[in-house]
Each structure stands twice: as structure tokens, then as C-alpha cells.
Amino acid sequence: MNFALRFGLSTRFQLLLVGVVALISGISFTGTIQTTRAVARTNELTATGPEALMLCLGDPYLLVYGLWPIAVLTIAKCVATSYRTVLLVRLGGPRGYVASSVIAGLVVAAFIQLTAVGVGLATALPLPWRHSQPRLGTIGLDVLAPLNPDSTSAGQVLVDILLQLAYFFVSCVLLALVMSFIRIRHESGFRIFIGLFLAAPPILLKLWPESLILINPINLLISFRARGAGIHAVAPLVLCLVLVLWIRGTMSTLGHLLLRQLAPAWLLFGGIVLVGMLLVSRQTDLGENSLFTLFYGGSPDSMSFLTWSFEVIFWQGMALVLVLQWSTFINERAWVELIRYGSGVKKLAFGLLADLAVVYLVTAASLLLLWIGDEVRSQHGHWSSAELLQHLVVGPAIVMSMVAIAVLVMWASGRESAALLVITAGIVGSFPMAAPWWPIPFALMFQSNVADGATSEWFRVVTSLVFASASVAALLLVVSKRSAPSQ
Amino acid sequence: MSVAAYCQRQRRQIVLRNGTERWRKSIYLGVSNEEDNDRRSLARGEAIDLGILGGYGRGLPMSDTIQRKSSVHRYWTVPVASILLVAIPAIYGLVMAPGYALADPFDHFGLAISNLLPLVFPLLATGIFAISFSEDVRSGYCLLEQIRIGRRPYVLRHCRTGAFVGATAGFMTIAVWWVITMVVAPRVGWVNYYPEGGAPPPPERFTWSQLMGTSPIVFFVAYSSMVALHAALYSVMGVLLTIILSNRLLALAAPFVGSFVLNFVFGSLGLGQWGPMSAIFTQGLTQGSFVPPIATTGAMLLLVLVMILRAMSTKRPAVNFQ
């Protein structure tokens, strides 16, 4: 289906532009005020880059009075304009309409967050990126300071930022779902509900009784506030998921979507990973740090076939499943879809974005499973920021680079065997005994790298991101030169 | 290739598929000669118009076309994968030897066929013939051949070829390295043994090494035959899965992935000796009886037989044309 038709981007794009201008102005203004206050208080610029980034993304006032209203208005506009007979026919009925609203919510959230991250980075880049003592309390960020007093590590700050991004995404999806259902069932009251969604967060932030902070709905939007109230970071995300499933009709809609999207290969992959997690946890004592133990991988000094195999099955297996889907596309559907998209680059770019979303979904699911496992074992897991960075940033980046390289060789040579060789090279390269330049990029995501100390966490993050970007750029470059796959 | 040329090619392949399917049905359904000829002419005409049948459509006999299509240069994977199979243990063994205190030449032999070779063996053994065969499937040539000789001989012929090529490469992998470690290296002095001069090989090192107690030749024959058999099985699996599955990448990856996952699962359960790779590469495990490797090999043979029957079944399409 035509992308513009599905999301109605022509109208929304104008709205988003207005929103972005307002957003940039607001954030710049806020940033300036905060920095001025910091300088005034401490007489020196003590904020670091990650803290400034967190300031742009996690400031409750900016979220409640700036980003959230933009999201509400844009999503409401998308939901309202999509509910037309012509579009309903194209979307296949109300179920397709709800699904498209959810996707629109994701697009809007991504756009807003990307802009905020961009502005945040622009503010943060001139500042130093390392610090040795807690500084959040010294830059005048009064709301954040008491909630996150142990943020001595830049990695921890980055994890906090990623968590806040996840909160915002989930909130936008929930908002889009609720709005689409209201639009279907209570057309007349739709505008009243928009007003409610706009007015409620400030009231909840300011007037909600302090004694009932645990059940304040604003916790679903602001991760720092939720954690300050003593709630586990993952709990609001789970609650959001429960709410999404609880909404009438969503179960069948999501089930329909999942069944359509989930290939048997993913089900098989999920089953193998689940069994693998159970088997490895049976064989080894996971202890308090299940994330580190389970995803240890291997190193030249300490190698275990079980943990190395599990790591390979999880990361390289994920890449293999994605490449399998790409091979089906290149062999069977490319010639039809290329006509429809009109450009290989466009199709590839959208496809890789979808792959990235799937990779993050699987990675997040694995963390959720680990957390549940820890709770079942009555162990309160202590995952360090370096380990979370390995799992949330380095791993997905390496998977995406493997997928990009495999698709590139498949596109250029027209042979699936070439893609298989790439995956095999990745597996063999991650074998410590076979890699003289340990850790090579294909083994960067091993948690053993955290323990080794041979490379810093930032080196691994930057290397993996550069590797992934270069792979994707090379793929898009080749596709732009060779508009159809070789035969 | 431009989008337009690419689409034209896809259209030609679809016409070829439709035409040959009609042609095949006319053969299997036993229609009258006139109808049969009509259908053949129709299919052939469409194919000739699009230049698919090449020389055959221009007056050359079909055998010439097949002969030309099956020329040797398409089977480049056979020498490449064979060389890799032989070279990997040789290079790994020679590079890693200085880092280990090797007791004797047999210890050196065991070192080289551990670690890296078990990892890549399923992939190389599968791809040795199946990659070239998958090119036949992709080009549509397999359909022409199948129409010519029939389903059953077609499947069996390629299984035979795959088994022969795989077995030869598997045997050579062990044979070459055996000669290097047991004959050449001690005489040339490439490796220092501790104790100097070489101790009598202890027969309890890994499963299959107990045959060294009988005679090194017995061990060599039994072990190399076992490796050759497994290489043949993986090679045949690659061919059969290429026929059975519609996704060629999945067909080529499935034996490798299956073997890896089963090894992981059996290893996690503490039953490492029952893994498919542990049937031949048992260096990391305590020596055991011959029952697990023989039972695993039997299970793999059974699986291959089931796959052969499945591939020969006339209820399914001639081949998953892509």
C-alpha cells in the first residue's frame, strides 16, 4: 500500500514541522536556562555530555509541557484523518485502521525522539564526556538529582536515556491505540478526550498526592519519576503492555498482526533461544548477574562451549533469520516490490529499519525473560551499565552489520551461498581460538569483553556503531548503483 | 542489471516454469500423443520465443544442450570446498602446534582436527556439491533435466554424485593430515614432541582412538571411513534440502544450523557424545563406547532416507522453482 496514503504524511508532515520548530526552540531555551543556572551555582561548567543529553530527553517539565502535547496533537491528527471510508477499505477494516494508528504512533514518537536526541547531541558535544563524581545535583536539575544519585558512570546515564526513550515509545503506542478505539466508538467525544490527554499530565505531575506516588499514571511516561518512586524500571513497561492487551479488541488485532508478521523461522528461533536459556541456566550457576553469565560468550583465556554456543545462537542466529527473510525477498518478491517502491534504496532502507525494530524487540524480550527468571529465582539482578550497553547497543549493531553485509553480497552476486559464508565467517571469527585479533567486530558483543578490560565500553560502542553504519552505507551505495539484484 | 531487465528475466522464468509444468503433467498424466505433442509444442514454443531453451530450440538436440549446461566450470565449489576441508586442519595444526606440549604425532593429529574443523565441517560438506546444484535449481536447468530423465533417476543421480564428492573430500581431509602428522612432520622435524622421541600413543584419548591399540592402520581406515560417511551424508542432505525447501539459503544452512543446535542441546544436557558432530570429532569429550557415534550416524542415515523419499514423491512439484 502506498506509504503516504497509509500514514497520511502529507498533512502530518506540516504539523510535525511546526512541532519540530517549537521543540527545538523549547529545548534550546531550556538548555540555555539550565546551563546558566549551573554556571551561576557552581561557577564552572560541570555538566557532562551524557548528562546534558539526559537533560534534553528526561526533563519532566519538557516532557509534560513540550514533547507530550506535540505527540498528542500529532497522533490525534493522524488518527482522525485516517478514519475515512476510502482509507478503511484500503486498510482492510477497523483492524487495519487500529494497526496503522499504532504504526503512526511509532513514527511520530520516533520523529520526536530523533529530533530531541539531535538537539541534545548538539548541546552535549561541546561538553566533556567523562566525569568522576556524581554531578547531576550540581547542574541545577532538581527533579532528576534525587532520583538518580548514583549516576557516576557515563554508561549508566546512557542506559537511563535508552530507558526513557523506551518509556516514551510505549506511551505513544498506548496513546495511539486508545485514540483509535475512541475514534471508532465515541466519535463525538473524540475532541474531549484529546483535551483530557493534554491536560492530565500537568495535573498528575503537580497535584497528585505524594502518598499515592506508586500508582501515579505519570510514571508510565517519565522513567526517572517511576524509579524515584521505588518502582522497578521494567514494571511500567510491562504495565503498559498489559493495558494495551486489556483494551478490547487489541488482542485479536495484535494477534492478527503477529501471526502475519511472525515467520516460522522466528518461532523456531524463539523456541531454540528459550530452550537454550533454560539449559544453560541449568548447567551453570547464573548467580546475581544473569545477564553477564548467560551472554558471556568466550575469550582466549576463558572458553566454554556452552556459553559461546548460546551467544552464537542468539546473535548470529538472529542475523541468519533476518537474512533468510531478505533472501526470500531477493529471490521471489524483489521484482514486484521494486516496481512498487520504484527504488531499491528506499525498499532496503525501510526494510533495514524494520529489521532494527525486530532486533530491539528480541533483545528487549530477552532482557525481560532474564528479569522474570531472576524474580522467579528470588535473585535481584545487578546488571551494570557496561553490560547493558553490550546487550542493547553493541549486540544489535553487530547483528545489523552482519545482515547488511550478507544482503550486500547476496544483492551483488545473486548467490545465497555468499550470504551463508558471511554468517559463517561471523561465527568462526567469534571463536576465540580462531581469532588472532581478539576481539574482532563479530565478537564485540560478548560480555566477556566487559570482564577482560582490554577494550573500554565506549570503544566497543563506537566501533560497533561505526561498523554497522559503514556496512549499511556500503549496502545502500551498491543498491543505488545496481538497482536490481544480480542473477 | 536494470529493473526492466530483471523483470524480463523473472517473466521468462515464470513462462519456463508454467511451460515445463504443463509439459511434465502431460507426461505423467498419460495424455494422448496428439495432446502431448500440442502441449510440448506450446511449452517449447513459449520457451524458444524467449530464448530460454537456447540451442535446443534452434535445432540442436536436447542432449547437446544438457551436455553444454552441465560443463565442469559450474562445479567450482567442489575443488574449493575440498581444498578448504583439507587445508583447515593442516594450517590449524601447524600454526597451533608450537603453543602445545604435544606428546607424539598422534597427539598432533588430534589437535588439528579439534576446535575449528568441527565448526566448519558441516557447512563445507553440505556446500561442496549443493551450492553448484542450487545453481541448477535457480537457472531452471534442473527442470529440463527432470523432464528428460524422470523424477526418481534425477534425485538418485544427484544424491550419488553428492555422496561421492562428499565422501572423497571427507576421506582426503583425514588422509592428508594423517600423512602430514604421522609420516612427514616427525621426519622433517616440524614439531617438537614432549617427551622427545615420542611416547607410545595412549589409546584412551578420545572415542575411536582405542583402535590405535589394535593398529594405527585399523584406526585410520575406520576413522577416515566414518568421516567420509558423515561428509557424504551432509552433502546429500544439502542436495535433498535444495529440492525440498523453497528457500535455497535455508536449504544450505539447515544441516549446519541443525548440527550446531543439536550439539548445543546435547552438550547442555550433559549428553555431548550424542551430538551429530561428536560422532566423528570427539576430541573434547571423555572416551566412550562406539554406541553413541554409531547410533547418531544411523539416525542421520534414516533422516537422509526419509528425505530421499520425500524428494522423490510425485505428489509435490518437480522442484521448488525460484
Side-chain angles (χ1 to χ4, degrees):
Chain A
M1 187 175 295
N2 185 289
F3 191 78
L5 179 66
R6 191 181 183 108
F7 298 113
L9 284 184
S10 55
T11 312
R12 285 162 221 168
F13 191 64
Q14 296 169 7
L15 272 173
L16 282 174
L17 274 181
V18 175
V20 166
V21 172
L23 184 66
I24 290 172
S25 314
I27 288 174
S28 306
F29 180 69
T30 312
T32 312
I33 294 292
Q34 295 288 357
T35 311
T36 312
R37 285 176 64 188
V39 172
R41 279 190 184 190
T42 62
N43 211 18
E44 59 178 346
L45 195 63
T46 53
T48 61
E51 287 166 352
L53 191 58
M54 190 161 68
L55 186 68
C56 289
L57 294 171
D59 185 350
Y61 296 108
L62 185 64
L63 271 171
V64 169
Y65 294 108
L67 303 186
W68 180 252
I70 291 174
V72 170
L73 289 173
T74 319
I75 292 173
K77 183 72 180 168
C78 293
V79 169
T81 50
S82 299
Y83 196 70
R84 285 179 290 153
T85 312
V86 177
L87 276 179
L88 280 175
V89 170
R90 289 294 303 273
L91 292 167
R95 179 176 287 178
Y97 164 71
V98 173
S100 76
S101 301
V102 170
I103 297 170
L106 277 173
V107 171
V108 169
F111 198 82
I112 291 174
Q113 294 287 30
L114 275 177
T115 314
V117 168
V119 174
L121 279 176
T123 316
L125 277 177
L127 299 173
W129 281 73
R130 287 182 178 282
H131 55 185
S132 55
Q133 56 182 357
R135 288 163 186 265
L136 287 175
T138 64
I139 60 170
L141 197 55
D142 299 333
V143 182
L144 297 185
L147 303 181
N148 197 12
D150 300 326
S151 287
T152 53
S153 146
Q156 179 64 43
V157 177
L158 192 57
V159 170
D160 292 343
I161 290 169
L162 290 175
L163 212 54
Q164 177 55 42
L165 290 179
Y167 271 58
F168 193 78
F169 266 99
V170 173
S171 298
C172 282
V173 167
L174 187 61
L175 176 70
L177 259 177
V178 172
M179 278 191 169
S180 59
F181 278 108
I182 291 170
R183 182 70 184 84
I184 293 172
R185 294 184 182 280
H186 306 286
E187 189 180 347
S188 55
F190 185 65
R191 292 186 181 186
I192 298 171
F193 275 102
I194 293 175
L196 200 62
F197 285 129
L198 281 173
I203 296 170
L204 293 174
L205 184 69
K206 287 287 181 189
L207 302 178
W208 190 268
E210 199 63 28
S211 55
L212 300 175
I213 190 171
L214 270 177
I215 53 170
N216 190 345
I218 201 75
N219 292 337
L220 300 177
L221 179 66
I222 308 168
S223 67
F224 302 108
R225 200 171 170 82
R227 291 166 68 183
I231 301 171
H232 195 287
V234 188
L237 295 178
V238 176
L239 183 62
C240 267
L241 190 67
V242 172
L243 282 174
V244 165
L245 295 179
W246 177 71
I247 294 172
R248 195 177 166 190
T250 314
M251 282 285 274
S252 59
T253 305
L254 287 181
H256 174 73
L257 278 174
L258 285 174
L259 283 178
R260 200 174 59 181
Q261 297 296 329
L262 274 183
W266 279 113
L267 292 177
L268 188 64
F269 170 76
I272 290 171
V273 167
L274 200 59
V275 170
M277 284 173 114
L278 291 173
L279 290 176
V280 175
S281 57
R282 266 189 72 221
Q283 284 282 315
T284 52
D285 179 22
L286 293 182
E288 283 191 346
N289 199 341
S290 52
L291 178 64
F292 179 80
T293 315
L294 197 62
F295 290 91
Y296 178 79
S299 71
D301 300 328
S302 169
M303 173 70 189
S304 157
F305 175 74
L306 281 186
T307 51
W308 176 77
S309 303
F310 180 72
E311 190 81 349
V312 165
I313 287 172
F314 186 77
W315 294 115
Q316 324 274 20
M318 208 188 306
L320 180 63
V321 175
L322 290 171
V323 173
L324 276 176
Q325 291 179 339
W326 277 110
S327 80
T328 310
F329 161 74
I330 288 175
N331 284 317
E332 295 175 7
R333 305 195 315 268
W335 68 294
V336 178
E337 290 201 21
L338 285 179
I339 293 172
R340 182 176 143 191
Y341 276 85
S343 152
V345 175
K346 203 170 160 186
K347 167 65 194 168
L348 266 286
F350 278 121
L352 287 174
L353 271 178
D355 285 356
L356 185 62
V358 171
V359 169
Y360 266 104
L361 197 66
V362 174
T363 314
S366 70
L367 277 183
L368 189 63
L369 279 175
L370 274 181
W371 176 67
I372 292 171
D374 282 350
E375 293 299 315
V376 169
R377 291 186 301 120
S378 304
Q379 293 271 4
H380 298 293
H382 297 293
W383 304 336
S384 74
S385 58
E387 290 155 8
L388 281 172
L389 275 182
Q390 285 288 105
H391 202 71
L392 290 172
V393 178
V394 182
I398 297 297
V399 170
M400 288 312 294
S401 47
M402 286 186 72
V403 171
I405 297 172
V407 174
L408 168 64
V409 296
M410 208 156 42
W411 191 278
S413 69
R415 288 187 168 84
E416 296 85 352
S417 48
L420 189 57
L421 283 179
V422 171
I423 302 284
T424 311
I427 295 174
V428 172
S430 70
F431 194 59
M433 308 289 185
W437 305 283
W438 183 269
I440 64 163
F442 289 128
L444 271 180
M445 67 284 202
F446 285 6
Q447 294 286 354
S448 62
N449 293 314
V450 178
D452 276 357
T455 52
S456 71
E457 58 189 88
W458 288 107
F459 171 81
R460 291 191 296 273
V461 168
V462 171
T463 307
S464 59
L465 289 178
V466 167
F467 188 45
S469 312
S471 310
V472 172
L475 170 63
L476 295 180
L477 189 68
V478 167
V479 173
S480 68
K481 298 285 180 196
R482 190 191 289 261
S483 53
S486 294
Q487 290 293 304
Chain B
M1 184 183 283
S2 69
V3 173
Y6 178 65
C7 295
Q8 172 69 5
R9 184 188 170 84
Q10 294 293 335
R11 190 175 146 253
R12 279 164 47 190
Q13 288 194 343
I14 286 174
V15 170
L16 173 64
R17 179 183 58 191
N18 294 340
T20 46
E21 278 297 305
R22 278 204 296 272
W23 197 356
R24 186 182 66 81
K25 279 177 191 162
S26 71
I27 296 167
Y28 280 113
L29 295 175
V31 293
S32 66
N33 282 340
E34 291 75 19
E35 278 182 276
D36 187 16
N37 285 335
D38 288 347
R39 291 183 185 193
R40 287 184 187 211
S41 303
L42 181 64
R44 202 181 303 160
E46 286 174 346
I48 291 168
D49 287 345
L50 289 162
I52 292 164
L53 286 184
Y56 177 55
R58 297 190 176 86
L60 290 175
M62 194 178 204
S63 58
D64 283 3
T65 310
I66 291 177
Q67 191 104 31
R68 208 178 49 182
K69 289 259 183 185
S70 60
S71 55
V72 175
H73 75 273
R74 289 189 308 110
Y75 293 101
W76 59 273
T77 53
V78 176
V80 170
S82 303
I83 289 170
L84 279 175
L85 268 176
V86 173
I88 283 172
I91 294 171
Y92 185 78
L94 292 174
V95 169
M96 299 302 281
Y100 287 82
L102 300 168
D104 53 45
F106 187 62
D107 210 9
H108 191 196
F109 174 80
L111 169 70
I113 56 173
S114 62
N115 289 332
L116 191 54
L117 184 62
L119 193 59
V120 295
F121 183 83
L123 182 79
L124 289 175
T126 305
I128 195 167
F129 182 67
I131 290 177
S132 299
F133 179 70
S134 73
E135 295 296 314
D136 282 357
V137 175
R138 194 172 70 124
S139 65
Y141 168 68
C142 60
L143 282 170
L144 298 175
E145 193 180 355
Q146 212 171 133
I147 291 162
R148 179 79 173 171
I149 65 173
R151 168 77 61 85
R152 189 165 296 180
Y154 169 79
V155 173
L156 292 178
R157 172 190 285 188
H158 286 90
C159 286
R160 269 203 309 272
T161 313
F164 174 74
V165 170
T168 309
F171 177 79
M172 289 303 290
T173 304
I174 299 302
V176 168
W177 183 237
W178 177 268
V179 170
I180 290 175
T181 51
M182 304 299 282
V183 180
V184 179
R187 292 188 184 177
V188 178
W190 281 342
V191 183
N192 294 321
Y193 301 108
Y194 305 93
E196 199 69 42
E204 66 279 3
R205 280 173 177 159
F206 54 88
T207 309
W208 298 106
S209 69
Q210 54 262 54
L211 292 174
M212 282 293 280
T214 312
S215 159
I217 296 298
V218 171
F219 167 79
F220 171 72
V221 171
Y223 189 63
S224 56
S225 305
M226 199 65 181
V227 174
L229 176 60
H230 273 255
L233 287 174
Y234 279 112
S235 181
V236 173
M237 268 190 220
V239 171
L240 293 169
L241 286 172
T242 308
I243 296 173
I244 292 169
L245 298 175
S246 60
N247 189 313
R248 289 192 298 276
L249 178 59
L250 181 61
L252 293 173
F256 171 62
V257 173
S259 162
F260 193 90
V261 170
L262 282 177
N263 268 336
F264 168 73
V265 170
F266 280 118
S268 308
L269 292 171
L271 302 168
Q273 70 274 21
W274 292 91
M277 268 301 94
S278 304
I280 45 176
F281 299 113
T282 52
Q283 282 71 23
L285 300 167
T286 316
Q287 190 183 75
S289 75
F290 289 129
V291 174
I294 290 175
T296 310
T297 310
M300 287 173 70
L301 266 171
L302 196 64
L303 180 66
V304 166
L305 282 177
V306 171
M307 283 160 66
I308 289 177
L309 292 176
R310 168 93 177 135
M312 288 197 302
S313 166
T314 51
K315 289 179 183 174
R316 53 188 304 283
V319 73
N320 288 295
F321 193 91
Q322 293 180 358

